[in-house]
Amino acid sequence: MADKNISMRDAVRNALLEEMRRDERVYIMGQEVGKWNGTHKVTRGFLDEFGPRRVKDAPISEMAIAGAAIGSAMVGLRPVAEIMTINFAFLALDQLINHAAKIHYMFDGQMKVPMVMRCATGWGNQATASHSQTPEPIFAHFPGLYVGCPSNARDAKGMLKAAIRDDNPVLFTEVIALYPKPGPVPDDEEFLVPIGKSDLKRDGDHVTLVAYGRGVDWALEAAKMLERDGVRAAVVDLRWLRPLDMSIVFESFKKTNRCVVVEESLPHFSFGSEIAAQIQDKMFDYMDAPVKRVSALDVPLPFAAEIELMALPNAQKVVDAVKEIL
Amino acid sequence: MTLPREKLLEWYHQMVLIRHFEERSLDIYHAPKPEDRHIGGVYLHVYNGQEATGVGALAALKPQDHVITAYRDHGIAIARGVDPKRIMAEMFGKKTGVSGGKGGSMHIASAEHRMWGGYAIVGGHLPLATGIAMKARYMDLDEVTLSFIGDGATNNGYFHEALNMSAVWKLPVIWLIENNLYGMGTAVEDASGQVALHKRAIAYGMEDGGRIDGMDVTVVYDAITQAREYAIKHGPILIESMTYRYEGHGVSDKVAKERKDEMAKFQDRDPIKLLAQQMHDAFGAGIDDEIKRIDAQALREVDESVQFALESPDPTYADLFSNIYA
Ligand SMILES: Cc1ncc(C[n+]2csc(CCOP(=O)(O)OP(=O)(O)O)c2C)c(N)n1
Ligand SMILES: [Mg+2]
């Protein structure tokens, strides 16, 4: 079927619509998802189509939203719980980590937890320290919980649909800055992007740029800038932090022997740390330079625009990092 | 006494079975010779003294109903009909345990009995109960969810969020507080501003089911029978069952046994002795022999459960990695 050019917001919305129409057990729960049409307007019109049984406006109870989603999943429903932004998901950490991630294992497979928790993520527009975080790596630490974050509209649709159809708990984060960004999306109800598959966005033989979410945009922009100087950069979008698919990264690294990791979140015990560790462990014989990491600076994000932007990654910082190791 | 003799004898059997099971597990845990200590670890929370609450409450449920509780869970699983052999094997850490030896004493579950587990994070199972009950409303089923709650667990945020959400959505949940006067070493009056814990129902606009005598199995049975009807028709109800833990919090609690007067007061109304007396009064001395026979039978069942656990295989290296994901 043909592609349609739509925003990532609409791609997420279409994924939810299609899955709710397809499967009666899929329902939506979260703050402001119904009468208010969703904080990020992803669920606009859902209450009218599906009614309050399947579109549940929840109280401001992050622990109970997560827990009720898990409980209902254990007995056969397929909840998609929305936490307004990932900053508030910290209140639900115990449910995600001690319950969702462990119930299948701790009871030795007696129950499954087919739930998706959607959260908006990322910094932007002087949202300030408590509201400007991209902490996917924290959640990816725990076996039992999948974590995915799309970098574009097409993946957003395919990844979310795959998450809803999967029998495991999934934390699915959506970068706020990418919501309005359009891209070609298959107008196909069976279009799925499988869980745990990374994507080669661009090939190159001088350096491998590894990213997820918004980092992919900076990496692609940097690759264009580098091209002008005759540097051919490969860009790999990991898409999922768990399960983590390093196969394309390793393939590319064998050619380029150099890697820069690009991420929107913080550097300490980070996404970049894990990628760098795996490369030095598995690719040592191919290494020509240290793995560089471009991330947010190690500070809480301030309000003032002038210094907020200094703290954040951008394409130029990626170019500079590449030049250091060429 | 209007209850049929067979029913009372069955409850008597369950209560002595739980008592012997728990006493045996303590003996094994504290065995003088290390090679006899087949129950390892640091956690073992027994149900002695609280049998009437668990047995009476579960007797009022139907097979399609759901049960969930905290880590003091062996007695509740037995009362729900889970095979004591598989519970003992779980506590021994054997592959034949209900959770394959992966959950241990605090994580006893049996999906086929709709006993959704034992949970070791205080309050963590309360929103799961809310979610399980959501399914009954979602699918319009004649199913209630019975959630046990420790008195101590009424003080973390889970209690507030899970109970409020159940009230907003009028879910068929029976919230049953087991007030055994302590959470670890902290007395209710040192932890709760409102010591009549059932009154918290009022704050949530939920039915206040009052305080009941948790040492009398017939009282608990009546209360939960009525609560079940209420919950199906109207929504959640909160009940406070007054009971006592004879062995203290867990195997490391040395203080509880020093509260001799308080202990004597409750043991005077021991649920097992009380029911034996009630049956003697109602049916005459002829029943005493039957009671003795049931007692001996329960002991044999405990012997068998230990034998089964002893003969069962340990989990293997492959089991370490199984059932992390569905
Ligand atoms: C969130 C959390 N905080 C603290 C603990 C440690 N802890 C385990 S049991 C317990 C007391 C709970 O008492 P109560 O709810 O009355 O249950 P009871 O043991 O009396 O059955 C505490 C504080 C825990 N397991 N989880
Ligand atoms: Mg207690």
Side-chain angles (χ1 to χ4, degrees):
Chain A
M1 235 173 268
D3 284 359
K4 262 194 191 153
N5 210 45
I6 57 174
S7 67
M8 189 176 93
R9 186 192 320 280
D10 282 342
V12 174
R13 182 171 182 275
N14 288 354
L16 292 170
L17 265 181
E18 287 171 13
E19 291 308 297
M20 285 185 76
R21 286 175 187 155
R22 185 186 62 83
D23 186 345
E24 171 83 15
R25 299 166 304 171
V26 178
Y27 75 94
I28 290 193
M29 161 170 54
Q31 289 154 35
E32 312 295 352
V33 294
K35 289 183 186 157
W36 225 53
N37 285 312
T39 305
H40 308 283
K41 305 301 165 208
V42 167
T43 52
R44 66 187 183 282
F46 276 42
L47 187 61
D48 289 341
E49 174 164 351
F50 299 106
R53 174 173 157 263
R54 296 182 68 198
V55 181
K56 292 186 177 308
D57 275 321
I60 308 167
S61 300
E62 283 76 12
M63 291 157 51
I65 291 170
I70 296 167
S72 68
M74 284 163 62
V75 293
L77 298 186
R78 302 189 82 85
V80 181
E82 177 176 322
I83 300 277
M84 211 178 269
T85 83
I86 197 157
N87 308 287
F88 318 142
F90 293 148
L91 276 83
L93 271 182
D94 173 55
Q95 280 304 315
L96 289 170
I97 294 168
N98 284 327
H99 296 84
K102 300 197 173 37
I103 280 172
H104 188 66
Y105 186 80
M106 210 159 57
F107 300 117
D108 203 27
Q110 291 188 73
M111 35 267 198
K112 295 174 187 161
V113 185
M115 63 95 84
V116 176
M117 179 177 278
R118 292 179 45 242
C119 304
T121 189
W123 61 270
N125 302 329
Q126 300 178 273
T128 72
S130 67
H131 279 57
S132 262
Q133 303 178 86
T134 317
E136 287 79 18
I138 293 177
F139 298 87
H141 188 62
F142 302 94
L145 180 66
Y146 290 155
V147 179
C149 176
S151 69
N152 60 80
R154 179 188 175 88
D155 283 0
K157 176 172 175 181
M159 287 169 67
L160 180 54
K161 285 169 71 84
I164 293 170
R165 295 185 189 192
D166 195 85
D167 276 343
N168 293 287
V170 179
L171 178 75
F172 189 82
T173 70
E174 299 157 14
V175 181
I176 296 174
L178 297 180
Y179 272 138
K181 203 180 157 191
V185 178
D187 191 15
D188 174 1
E189 281 161 33
E190 288 308 310
F191 169 67
L192 303 173
V193 172
I195 289 179
K197 258 188 125 33
S198 60
D199 188 24
L200 183 66
K201 304 295 286 187
R202 176 192 167 110
D203 210 353
D205 47 14
H206 292 147
V207 63
T208 305
L209 306 181
V210 180
Y212 78 92
R214 198 171 177 193
V216 175
D217 272 3
W218 294 316
L220 287 170
E221 201 184 323
K224 271 192 206 142
M225 290 157 72
L226 287 162
E227 205 171 23
R228 285 180 226 133
D229 300 332
V231 178
R232 292 187 299 274
V235 176
V236 184
D237 179 357
L238 282 182
R239 289 177 171 152
W240 300 92
L241 275 60
R242 187 185 279 277
L244 185 66
D245 170 21
M246 289 291 284
S247 60
I248 296 177
V249 173
F250 290 157
E251 247 357 271
S252 171
F253 192 81
K254 283 181 190 167
K255 275 195 291 191
T256 62
N257 316 110
R258 288 175 174 78
C259 176
V260 174
V261 185
V262 188
E263 65 179 320
E264 192 176 336
S265 58
L266 296 165
H268 208 68
F269 294 96
S270 68
F271 173 71
S273 316
E274 177 64 26
I275 304 304
Q278 292 210 18
I279 287 176
Q280 67 82 22
D281 183 20
K282 307 255 165 51
M283 293 284 118
F284 189 71
D285 290 345
Y286 297 93
M287 282 183 92
D288 281 352
V291 174
K292 285 280 163 192
R293 298 183 291 155
V294 176
S295 69
L297 301 185
D298 201 17
V299 296
L301 212 60
F303 170 71
E306 188 67 19
I307 55 173
E308 182 197 38
L309 286 172
M310 288 178 191
L312 292 160
N314 57 43
Q316 186 57 51
K317 290 185 184 182
V318 179
V319 169
D320 295 346
V322 169
K323 290 197 168 156
E324 267 185 67
I325 56 168
L326 275 181
Chain B
M1 183 131 318
T2 53
L3 289 156
R5 189 187 142 98
E6 283 63 43
K7 215 171 207 175
L8 294 174
L9 285 170
E10 191 190 320
W11 298 348
Y12 184 84
H13 171 241
Q14 288 186 346
M15 291 201 292
V16 285
L17 178 58
I18 293 169
R19 180 71 56 88
H20 290 316
F21 184 95
E22 298 290 56
E23 282 173 350
R24 184 67 59 85
S25 64
L26 285 173
D27 287 348
I28 295 169
Y29 187 91
H30 293 297
K33 290 194 237 148
E35 62 269 30
D36 296 331
R37 287 178 211 149
H38 301 287
I39 298 176
V42 285
Y43 296 118
L44 182 63
H45 312 90
V46 295
Y47 205 52
N48 307 31
Q50 302 182 210
E51 296 91 343
T53 298
V55 170
L58 291 183
L61 295 194
K62 304 206 164 150
Q64 71 267 29
D65 293 338
H66 304 270
V67 185
I68 196 160
T69 187
Y71 45 85
R72 201 178 294 285
D73 54 359
H74 328 146
I76 287 164
I78 291 174
R80 187 61 177 170
V82 181
D83 186 350
K85 289 193 186 95
R86 300 207 46 212
I87 302 173
M88 191 62 88
E90 186 62 35
M91 289 155 64
F92 275 47
K94 295 300 184 81
K95 195 175 163 73
T96 55
V98 278
S99 301
K102 289 173 172 175
S105 154
M106 303 197 292
H107 301 110
I108 305 293
S110 175
E112 67 179 288
H113 294 88
R114 300 194 161 194
M115 157 60 182
W116 298 110
Y119 291 84
I121 302 295
V122 167
H125 66 288
L126 304 182
L128 302 183
T130 302
I132 292 166
M134 278 171 65
K135 181 204 156 202
R137 280 281 181 267
Y138 195 90
M139 311 263 221
D140 198 16
L141 302 168
D142 173 41
E143 293 176 357
V144 301
T145 300
L146 170 66
S147 175
F148 292 86
I149 310 173
D151 49 275
T154 62
N155 289 321
N156 79 12
Y158 276 129
F159 181 88
H160 172 71
E161 291 195 8
L163 269 74
N164 179 59
M165 191 179 266
S166 76
V168 173
W169 292 336
K170 300 192 170 39
L171 301 176
V173 195
I174 302 168
W175 300 109
L176 179 56
I177 299 173
E178 293 186 276
N179 185 346
N180 58 13
L181 312 193
Y182 299 92
M184 291 183 76
T186 303
V188 169
E189 60 270 26
D190 293 334
S192 297
Q194 171 56 270
V195 294
L197 301 175
H198 63 94
K199 287 192 185 169
R200 294 189 182 195
I202 301 160
Y204 301 115
M206 178 186 298
E207 180 71 3
D208 175 3
R211 221 178 216 188
I212 60 172
D213 175 4
M215 303 304 267
D216 185 336
V217 67
T218 65
V219 168
V220 178
Y221 172 78
D222 285 342
I224 303 302
T225 303
Q226 287 171 29
R228 190 186 183 285
E229 243 170 75
Y230 180 89
I232 288 277
K233 273 202 207 113
H234 308 290
I237 175 169
L238 179 66
I239 297 176
E240 179 182 12
S241 179
M242 302 306 294
T243 182
Y244 201 68
R245 17 157 254 213
Y246 291 175
E247 296 292 338
H249 174 64
V251 277
S252 60
D253 183 357
K254 308 275 184 269
V255 184
K257 294 262 182 186
E258 289 164 19
R259 301 187 187 103
K260 291 203 169 65
D261 292 349
E262 191 177 80
M263 181 86 74
K265 196 182 105 203
F266 278 93
Q267 288 189 331
D268 228 30
R269 302 195 62 255
D270 177 75
I272 295 172
K273 277 200 288 192
L274 185 63
L275 180 59
Q277 189 62 48
Q278 286 166 334
M279 290 192 293
H280 178 95
D281 295 345
F283 307 116
I287 204 151
D288 296 352
D289 280 346
E290 201 148 350
I291 287 174
K292 276 199 200 116
R293 188 186 58 71
I294 289 175
D295 210 89
Q297 185 200 327
L299 260 180
R300 272 199 309 281
E301 286 172 71
V302 172
D303 289 342
E304 283 163 20
S305 75
V306 172
Q307 197 56 35
F308 174 81
L310 278 172
E311 288 165 3
S312 289
D314 290 325
T316 62
Y317 186 74
D319 296 316
L320 182 57
F321 296 98
S322 67
N323 288 325
I324 297 174
Y325 300 100

